[in-house]
Amino acid sequence: MRVRNLKIAIQRSGRLNEPSVELLRKCDIAFDNGLAKLRSAAYNFPIEMLFLRDDDIPQYIEDGVADIGIVGENVLAESGSKAAVIEKLGFGRCRLALATPRTFEYTNLECLNGRRVATSYPNILGRFLEANRITAEIHTISGSVEIAPGIGLADVICDLVSSGSTLFTNGLQEVETVMASEAVLISRGDLGSDLNGILERLLFRVRAVHAAGQNKYILLNTPNERLEEIRQLRPAAFRALPVAPDDQAAVADLAPSERPGRMGR
Ligand code: PRT
Ligand code: ZN
């Protein structure tokens, strides 16, 4: 029997679409990605992409419409879905934060007792307030949360923040982090051995892309007499090519991107 394709749900348009598509392409998965397309099968890997609204992805995975998906941890936590996180992806980083007007004299969470908080994340916020024994009124709104205090709808907001400029331009100050978030690969628990095999192959590639992004390939020319000195500093470095003139060599090495190794003075 022919094994069916693994189905991966990714955001159709929005902040996670481009990095998700780019990740799959870096995994050497070739597919068409027209905006009008809702699904697209890869030409060279047993996977099919489903392009969906991010909020719907956890439910589609639970219902078996998709097997795996890429969403923000914030969306997964809000959905209450049982889909499991199988890999953190390192993009779409942000935080769900509480913010007040800058005129609000905030000292600690107790200041929120009895206040109205506007958010698109009532479930995460409700759990956070309960865990901290704060009684506040949650107003659920689906967008433009940052204008809620200005129009008298709420005293406080709970919204996603990355650079902080939206809060700043709306006269708000960030006062507490409710949760940190980044894009994650999520999966249904019961994929069966064939689909799990495809998922393992995909994960191997995702991890290789991640590892490659954390290293720099160093290639330099050096006089032959300094080769030994380089080997002392970078034992894994190797003589890649002889180069002209004869007393020179090209040396190659891998070094972590954040802290490139010193290969000489
Ligand atoms: O249409 P669909 O439902 O699929 O998309 P969406 O509009 O719900 O989501 P989208 O594309 O805005 O965000 C998708 C995911 O990106 C979120 O669920 C987060 O996991 C992640 N992400 C990362 C962000 C941000 N950073 C972010 N800054 N999502 C939203 N924002 C918004 C925030 O709501 C606020 O309006 O950006 C504004 C704040 O940004 P700064 O830089 O001014 O702080
Ligand atoms: Zn959404």
Side-chain angles (χ1 to χ4, degrees):
M1 198 183 72
R2 198 176 162 274
V3 181
R4 76 162 169 82
N5 284 342
L6 182 73
K7 287 187 274 188
I8 180 169
I10 61 180
Q11 193 188 24
R12 183 158 179 227
S13 66
R15 288 166 196 264
L16 300 186
N17 171 270
E18 212 182 292
S20 303
V21 167
E22 194 186 315
L23 173 65
L24 294 173
R25 295 214 195 284
K26 283 185 177 161
C27 289
D28 200 26
I29 293 171
F31 59 99
D32 296 327
N33 176 34
L35 257 187
K37 271 188 175 265
L38 292 182
R39 60 204 298 172
S40 180
Y43 303 122
N44 57 355
F45 196 82
I47 195 167
E48 181 176 354
M49 275 54 60
L50 306 181
F51 300 102
L52 302 166
R53 281 200 59 204
D54 64 349
D55 316 69
D56 297 335
I57 290 176
Q59 189 62 50
Y60 277 123
I61 289 178
E62 265 196 23
D63 294 346
V65 175
D67 304 306
I68 61 173
I70 296 178
V71 289
E73 290 172 289
N74 52 303
V75 165
L76 181 65
E78 182 63 21
S79 74
S81 155
K82 290 193 268 306
V85 173
I86 44 178
E87 192 77 7
K88 292 201 173 210
L89 298 175
F91 57 81
R93 286 209 171 96
C94 57
R95 54 203 181 272
L96 186 64
L98 287 160
T100 68
R102 280 202 285 277
T103 48
F104 189 116
E105 284 174 21
Y106 184 87
T107 48
N108 58 37
L109 273 173
E110 311 250 302
C111 299
L112 302 182
N113 268 318
R115 302 290 184 164
R116 297 164 304 161
V117 191
T119 189
S120 306
Y121 293 89
N123 297 329
I124 301 174
L125 176 61
R127 291 194 291 267
F128 177 83
L129 294 177
E130 195 182 322
N132 287 285
R133 303 209 171 95
I134 303 295
T135 311
E137 228 180 85
I138 298 177
H139 288 256
T140 306
I141 52 178
S142 58
S144 305
V145 174
E146 64 279 358
I147 65 168
I151 59 173
L153 188 70
D155 310 301
V156 181
I157 69 162
C158 175
D159 197 12
L160 296 176
V161 181
S162 43
S163 68
S165 67
T166 302
L167 294 185
F168 185 80
T169 52
N170 284 282
L172 302 169
Q173 59 182 350
E174 188 174 342
V175 294
E176 300 282 347
T177 298
V178 174
M179 84 173 276
S181 176
E182 68 182 87
V184 287
L185 188 64
I186 59 173
S187 168
R188 241 177 332 112
D190 52 348
L191 290 183
S193 65
D194 290 334
L195 292 179
N196 250 325
I198 302 173
L199 176 57
E200 282 306 317
R201 285 166 59 198
L202 175 68
L203 267 179
F204 179 82
R205 294 187 188 193
V206 167
R207 287 170 186 155
V209 168
H210 182 70
Q214 294 195 313
N215 288 300
K216 270 192 182 138
Y217 182 64
I218 299 170
L219 186 64
L220 61 81
N221 286 355
T222 178
N224 283 337
E225 77 249 21
R226 297 199 68 184
L227 276 174
E228 196 42 48
E229 199 182 333
I230 290 173
R231 272 200 201 101
Q232 302 280 326
L233 285 165
R234 308 283 312 173
F238 61 94
R239 193 169 192 258
L241 299 162
V243 288
D246 285 351
D247 61 347
Q248 301 265 322
V251 174
D253 191 14
L254 275 184
S257 290
E258 295 91 325
R259 207 165 48 85
R262 288 190 59 209
M263 287 189 65
R265 283 169 288 245

